[in-house]
Amino acid sequence: MELETLHRRAVEHWAARVTAVKDDQWGDPTPCTEWSVRDLVNHVVGEELWTAPLLRGKTIKEVGGQFDGDVLGDGPLERAGSASAEAVAVVDEIVPGGGRVQLSYGEEDMGEYVRQLCADHLIHGWDLAAATGGDTSMDPELVAEVGAWFAQREAMYRSGGAIGPRQSGRGEPGSDLLAGFGRASDWGPNHAALARFSAAFGSGDVDAIMARMTQDCVFESTGPAPDGQRHEGQVAVRAVWDELFGTTQDAKFTDEDTFLSGDRALVRWRFTWTNDDGSEGHVRGVDVIRLHDGLVAEKLSYVKG
C-alpha cells in the first residue's frame, strides 16, 4: 500500500473513534493503564501536531515545548479533527519526495517515522474504542501493513520499554497484533471497572471506592492471623477504609500487576505509608477480586509475610 494512503486510512480509523467519544467518557480508563480517554486522545493529537514541523525539517529542540501538556483545550473533538486533517495534508505533501526527520532518538528515515505514526493511530484507535464501547474492529489491510512492519521491530520496542509484555492472542491477525503491542484483545467493561476501582483505591478517596463496590460487597482483611476478618456490606466495608485512610499517614496503594478473566481478577499491589519518624513503610500483597455488573463485589486480600 502506498505510504500516504496507509497513513490517511490509519488516521481516518482513529478519527472515527474520536468522534464517537461521549461527553461523559473523557475521564474513563483505557487499556493504556496510565491514561484516561482524554489523556489518550491528547497523546495522539500531540503526535499529529508534531508531524508538520518534523516533516518540514525542524528539530526537537526547535519545536521545543509548544505541544507539551494539554493540547485539547475546551474543544477536544474540534482540536482532534483539525490536528488529524493537518497531519494527513502534510504527509500527502511531503512524504512522496522522501527524506529524513529528526526524532527524539536521532535522525530517521521519513518513511519509517510515518509508519510509526500509522501504528500508533491503529492501535490507539482500538484502545479508544475499547475504552468507550465503540467499534473495535480494525481494517484487515491496515492490520497486515502494520503487522508486517511491527514484526521486525517488536523485540526492539519491548526491550526499550515502549510496549508492555506480549499478551495471548487468538490466532487471528488483529488479535495477534494487539497481543504484540501488549494489549488483551478481550479488554472490556470489567477491565474498565477494575481500573476505576484501582484508581479510586490509589487515591484514597473513600467515597469513590464505595461508589465502585456493590451494596452487598465483601472485604476480607489480611489479619488477624490466620484467616483475616470478614466485613460485609457497604457500612462495614466503608468503616475499614475510613480507618485505614484516616489514620495512616500518606497511605497509598499502587498496582504492580493485574490479571482478569471473566468476572475474576488478581491484583498484585504495593501499599506504602510514612512512619512517625519520617521513614517509609511498605507491604506487598495480592487481592482476589470478584466483579458484578461493573462493580467490585468481593475483595479478598493477602499480604506477604
Side-chain angles (χ1 to χ4, degrees):
M1 188 186 302
E2 188 179 55
L3 186 54
E4 304 91 85
T5 301
L6 175 65
H7 177 262
R8 185 182 311 110
R9 286 172 59 176
V11 173
E12 288 171 351
H13 164 88
W14 159 259
R17 275 72 186 165
V18 175
T19 58
V21 176
K22 298 179 177 63
D23 290 343
D24 62 351
Q25 293 182 316
W26 291 100
D28 286 355
T30 73
C32 305
T33 54
E34 300 300 316
W35 288 342
S36 67
V37 167
R38 185 181 177 97
D39 294 332
L40 174 59
V41 175
N42 190 73
H43 166 75
V44 176
V45 171
E47 284 194 333
E48 292 174 334
L49 295 175
W50 272 92
T51 303
L54 291 179
L55 289 182
R56 296 189 189 284
K58 287 194 174 183
T59 65
I60 299 291
K61 184 177 181 179
E62 288 171 334
V63 176
Q66 61 180 298
F67 302 131
D68 292 348
D70 177 67
V71 296
L72 299 181
D74 296 331
L77 292 180
E78 294 78 8
R79 181 61 158 162
S82 64
S84 291
E86 178 186 358
V88 168
V90 75
V91 167
D92 286 351
E93 174 193 348
I94 294 178
V95 169
R100 310 285 289 178
V101 293
Q102 299 294 326
L103 302 181
S104 58
Y105 57 83
E107 187 175 272
E108 182 60 271
D109 177 74
M110 187 177 289
E112 172 66 17
Y113 168 55
V114 173
R115 287 189 180 275
Q116 293 173 11
L117 295 176
C118 293
D120 250 25
H121 280 81
L122 179 63
I123 300 301
H124 285 322
W126 180 89
D127 290 332
L128 187 58
T132 58
D135 179 8
T136 56
S137 66
M138 295 189 292
D139 183 329
E141 290 187 318
L142 293 181
V143 170
E145 289 279 349
V146 172
W149 168 84
F150 183 63
Q152 306 301 316
R153 294 158 178 80
E154 180 178 349
M156 177 184 68
Y157 272 49
R158 183 159 292 113
S159 65
I163 54 177
R166 173 175 267 276
Q167 302 295 307
S168 297
R170 299 197 300 262
E172 177 272 320
S175 173
D176 289 347
L177 180 62
L178 291 169
F181 274 95
R183 269 67 169 176
S185 59
D186 63 348
W187 200 95
N190 278 342
H191 292 83
L194 187 60
R196 292 187 188 98
F197 180 75
S198 293
F201 224 87
S203 70
D205 184 338
V206 176
D207 287 339
I209 294 170
M210 298 315 302
R212 288 155 178 79
M213 301 189 78
T214 62
Q215 289 299 312
D216 60 349
C217 57
V218 171
F219 167 61
E220 282 191 2
S221 59
T222 59
D227 296 320
Q229 186 173 358
R230 187 176 177 88
H231 308 269
E232 299 184 3
Q234 282 260 337
V235 173
V237 173
R238 173 184 278 274
V240 177
W241 307 148
D242 282 336
E243 181 178 4
L244 174 65
F245 291 106
T247 63
T248 307
Q249 186 177 351
D250 301 324
K252 183 174 179 59
F253 281 88
T254 304
D255 287 358
E256 295 184 328
D257 194 17
T258 298
F259 172 79
L260 187 146
S261 179
D263 64 354
R264 302 282 178 163
L266 294 176
V267 178
R268 181 162 53 87
W269 46 260
R270 176 185 173 95
F271 175 49
T272 60
W273 65 88
T274 301
N275 294 308
D276 291 340
D277 63 1
S279 62
E280 181 186 276
H282 84 272
V283 293
R284 297 172 67 227
V286 169
D287 280 350
V288 180
I289 289 175
R290 180 170 60 86
L291 296 152
H292 180 70
D293 288 342
L295 300 172
V296 171
E298 189 174 63
K299 172 179 158 72
L300 312 180
S301 292
Y302 300 87
V303 167
K304 284 183 175 290

